[in-house]
């Protein structure tokens, strides 16, 4: 029996829903995210791809600062901080006058890494009464969810899994989970169709946004919307830099793309927007444009540096790659500073 199939397996083990199994595998005492190598040891995010990403987020924080009227104390909260790379990069990229007023927070279940910038406070939960920017890069895709699969009678059932990754079908999906499926990811009565039930992610996003007194919350993730749900779901694993079977034994990351349109309505606040990462980063100054060739003859070293930056920027905005991430922006008490740069309509519930 291999992961991703259903039926009866012969080896022993407890059958659990994917949400419980993933929670323990990722965040338990010996879970994947407790490892000293951090996420960068297994997969590459925008944060790890280039320091230009942190620079763009720093520019966004500066725009939030302006929208807030340049408060005496400005907060930057890095959700699912890994080893604090984004928080450290943002603080390093800020203008001196803004950095002097900024308090950095890294939110992560693992312990604080050695050598992290002393200005960054390390927390297991986000702080309250935030005035500034909360940024969640590839956080929601690691909030564990249940998986549903349609059986031979056309009924969506909860998928159960063991520690070795073997699966079988459990009870029919009911209650709030069935309501979520009906509203956000209706499954036709065709055997084998699957969905990830995003209810816990909606709640997690609403809880994170509730920590803001005023400012902007951003979730950046691989995502899908109601007009293009993947018919067999997106549950997968990552180990050692490569995609792998999602086995909930703590040896690999377990992730699934996010129904960000559902998350967008979870806060019951106006102004939520969805936009591709490429549009957001271009608005924040990343174009991927090559430097002028004339620079190669007048200052070859500067040309090489500019060419390297252009290559890194191009990766961050590339279609089919990191540029396909979606940003969910949720302003709280201020106009969305990013919406002033990008002509994107408010999110409308599907």
């Amino acid at each position: 029996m291999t992961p991703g199939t259903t039926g009866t397996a012969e080896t022993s083990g407890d059958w659990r829903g994917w949400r419980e199994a993933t929670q323990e595998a990722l965040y338990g005492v010996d879970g994947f995210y407790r490892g000293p190598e951090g996420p960068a040891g297994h997969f590459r995010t925008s944060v790890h791809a280039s320091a230009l990403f942190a620079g763009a987020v720093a520019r966004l924080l500066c725009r939030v600062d302006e929208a807030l009227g340049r408060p005496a104390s400005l907060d930057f909260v890095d959700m699912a901080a890994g080893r604090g790379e984004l928080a450290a990069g943002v603080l390093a990229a800020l203008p001196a006058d803004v950095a002097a007023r900024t308090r950095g927070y890294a939110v992560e279940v693992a312990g604080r890494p050695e050598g992290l910038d002393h200005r960054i406070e390390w927390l297991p939960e986000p702080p309250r009464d935030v005035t500034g920017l909360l940024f969640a890069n590839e956080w929601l895709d690691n909030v564990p969810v249940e998986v549903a699969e349609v059986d031979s009678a056309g009924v969506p059932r909860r998928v159960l899994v063991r520690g070795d990754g073997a699966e079988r079908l459990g009870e029919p999906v009911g209650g709030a989970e069935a309501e979520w499926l009906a509203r956000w990811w209706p499954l036709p009565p065709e055997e084998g169709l699957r969905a990830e039930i995003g209810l816990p992610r909606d709640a997690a996003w609403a809880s994170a946004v509730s920590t803001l007194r005023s400012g902007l919350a951003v979730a950046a993730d691989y995502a899908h919307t109601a007009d293009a749900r993947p018919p067999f779901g997106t549950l997968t694993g990552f180990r050692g830099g490569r995609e792998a079977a999602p086995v909930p034994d703590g040896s690999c990351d377990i992730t699934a793309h996010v129904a960000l349109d559902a998350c967008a309505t979870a806060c019951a606040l106006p102004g939520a927007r969805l936009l591709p990462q490429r549009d957001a980063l271009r608005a924040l100054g990343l174009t991927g444009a090559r430097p002028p060739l004339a620079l190669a003859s007048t200052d070859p070293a500067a040309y090489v540096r500019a060419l390297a930056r252009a290559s890194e920027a191009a990766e961050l905005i590339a279609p089919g790659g990191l540029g396909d991430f979606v940003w969910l922006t949720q302003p709280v008490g201020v106009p969305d500073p990013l919406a002033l740069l990008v002509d994107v309509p408010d999110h409308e519930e599907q």
Side-chain angles (χ1 to χ4, degrees):
M1 176 73 67
T2 58
T5 62
T6 60
T8 302
E10 296 179 355
T11 56
S12 62
D14 293 332
W15 295 103
R16 301 181 291 175
W18 268 106
R19 184 183 180 190
E20 179 185 349
T22 301
Q23 182 69 32
E24 182 176 333
L26 296 184
Y27 306 113
V29 175
D30 298 316
F32 174 81
Y33 278 103
R34 304 288 184 180
E37 72 277 10
H42 296 270
F43 53 87
R44 192 163 179 257
T45 73
S46 299
V47 177
H48 309 123
S50 173
L52 294 176
F53 186 79
V57 176
R59 287 191 288 278
L60 178 57
L61 179 58
C62 289
R63 292 197 171 270
V64 173
D65 183 43
E66 293 173 3
L68 291 167
R70 301 183 183 276
S73 181
L74 180 69
D75 299 320
F76 176 72
V77 181
D78 179 10
M79 294 291 297
R83 298 277 112 17
E85 299 96 334
L86 180 60
V90 167
L91 290 180
L94 289 173
D97 63 316
V98 179
R101 294 182 287 110
T102 300
R103 299 179 299 187
Y105 300 93
V107 181
E108 182 57 71
V109 296
R112 182 187 182 97
E114 294 183 5
L116 184 66
D117 191 319
H118 70 278
R119 295 174 295 173
I120 299 171
E121 186 174 350
W122 196 265
L123 299 171
E125 300 287 342
R128 307 297 303 183
D129 295 324
V130 170
T131 299
L133 174 62
L134 180 146
F135 202 95
N137 186 65
E138 293 199 51
W139 168 52
L140 290 173
D141 67 324
N142 285 132
V143 173
V145 293
E146 298 289 6
V147 177
E149 181 174 323
V150 179
D151 68 10
S152 59
V155 176
R157 292 181 176 270
R158 196 159 64 108
V159 177
L160 305 181
V161 64
R162 289 191 315 214
D164 61 0
E167 292 181 334
R168 69 175 175 85
L169 297 186
E171 70 280 4
V173 177
E177 292 179 343
E179 293 174 4
W180 189 94
L181 278 180
R183 181 181 181 187
W184 294 109
W185 199 332
L187 287 170
E190 180 181 334
E191 185 177 7
L193 296 182
R194 288 168 68 119
E196 292 102 29
I197 304 173
L199 199 60
R201 293 169 172 179
D202 297 353
W205 177 243
S207 178
V209 172
S210 74
T211 66
L212 266 72
R213 177 189 301 166
S214 56
L216 181 69
V218 178
D221 244 309
Y222 279 120
H224 46 70
T225 53
D227 58 346
R229 301 288 189 218
F232 301 105
T234 60
L235 188 73
T236 192
F238 283 92
R239 181 188 295 109
R242 295 187 178 184
E243 191 168 359
V247 179
D249 62 359
S251 68
C252 67
D253 185 32
I254 298 173
T255 180
H257 295 189
V258 185
L260 275 182
D261 50 348
C263 295
T265 68
C267 301
L269 291 173
R273 298 171 187 267
L274 300 177
L275 70 159
Q277 173 161 292
R278 69 179 65 88
D279 293 346
L281 292 182
R282 283 169 177 157
L284 292 167
L286 298 189
T287 65
R290 294 171 61 93
L293 284 174
L295 184 62
S297 57
T298 59
D299 192 340
Y303 177 77
V304 170
R305 291 193 298 271
L307 193 63
R309 288 194 299 271
S311 177
E312 293 176 7
E315 181 183 3
L316 289 171
I317 62 177
L322 295 174
D324 286 347
F325 270 65
V326 178
W327 284 26
L328 164 57
T329 65
Q330 178 63 67
V332 178
V334 296
D336 184 346
L338 193 54
L340 300 177
L341 303 175
V342 185
D343 184 18
V344 179
D346 287 353
H347 172 77
E348 294 182 2
E349 183 177 332
Q350 301 294 323

